[in-house]
Amino acid sequence: MRSWSVVAQSAFVACSGVCRSSFSQGTVRTTAVTPITRSRMSSTSSSMMDGPFPELLVFDLDACFWDKEMYEMRAMPGDVKRGDLNGLGEGVIGVMSGRDQISLHKGSLAALQEHYDGMYQNDSNNKNHAHANLKIAFASSADTPFAEQVGRATLKLLEVVPGVTVWDLAMRDWNDVDVNQIGRQPPLSSNKAQTHFPRLREATGIRYDRMLFFDDCLWGDHCGMVAAACKESDTGKGPTTVRTPNGLGDKEFRKGLQLYSNSKQ
């Protein structure tokens, strides 16, 4: 049995000194969380893997990370639905936009909970992995400014474990610096390979070939475009990508980790 502890939270505070100078360093927030005992562990859990693990998990949002398309939402998030967070206690599992409920897909929640628990740590002495701990970021081409606002508000309400939102975890990874690329208003565009990923590369300092990217690809092959266009000059490799046309399930998440590990053999 693993336990969720305040110590585990601190593993994600450091930016490892790699944030580019164009991004100012924010003040670290701390969230008081009562230790929680994990009541279940998947038999296919990534804790059984030796790695290496990606240094950056990049999630598309709509129809991948969660189950709705933000351009279809007609209201800013209001009420929330509380329920079971994979046996880790009760928290916010749904956010209401009018009559529509926005919820995380199962693989998304599993990825965040395991990341929160510190399960993905590379050998910090390995020169090929400058960032010992995996971090997360979002790359979404939300259609309109309103769709972006709905998405960002939803990230600040859905919870990973009781009392810790998705946004809390993302901000802890980056010392409260918003490295996420959400929307398609300039300087972003609808082409993630041209705008979102180059900006993520600059904002995080993490190489393309150390990223793992999930996208539903229902409105274009973003995975294919990113893999083809965003490559490191010394290795000729780009992000490991996984298409999730039915949303990010647990199976797709494990597949992504395995594909990334295989690419480093």
Side-chain angles (χ1 to χ4, degrees), residues 217-264:
C217 295
L218 293 175
W219 300 96
D221 188 7
H222 294 294
C223 284
M225 290 187 287
V226 166
C230 302
K231 297 181 178 181
E232 293 296 330
S233 59
D234 57 346
T235 64
K237 295 183 177 181
T240 298
T241 64
V242 178
R243 296 170 180 82
T244 62
N246 298 311
L248 180 54
D250 192 77
K251 180 180 178 180
E252 289 78 16
F253 175 54
R254 310 294 169 197
K255 174 183 177 181
L257 292 175
Q258 191 63 62
L259 286 173
Y260 180 87
S261 181
N262 292 346
S263 75
K264 302 304 177 186

Side-chain angles (χ1 to χ4, degrees), residues 55-115:
E55 296 179 13
L56 184 65
L57 280 186
V58 184
F59 300 97
D60 171 48
L61 291 176
D62 297 358
C64 174
F65 187 68
W66 48 47
D67 57 1
K68 291 294 189 292
E69 295 274 6
M70 294 302 97
Y71 78 90
E72 296 179 337
M73 301 298 100
R74 296 292 180 261
M76 287 295 292
D79 295 336
V80 299
K81 179 179 179 181
R82 301 183 65 83
D84 177 64
L85 289 169
N86 284 346
L88 301 178
E90 182 180 279
V92 178
I93 62 170
V95 173
M96 302 305 297
S97 171
R99 295 181 178 180
D100 294 302
Q101 179 176 314
I102 307 165
S103 298
L104 296 178
H105 279 295
K106 290 183 179 180
S108 304
L109 182 57
L112 296 182
Q113 288 182 335
E114 292 174 10
H115 168 44

Side-chain angles (χ1 to χ4, degrees), residues 152-169:
R152 286 183 175 274
T154 301
L155 290 170
K156 296 176 181 179
L157 292 172
L158 289 171
E159 291 186 335
V160 179
V161 296
V164 179
T165 68
V166 175
W167 192 253
D168 288 336
L169 185 58

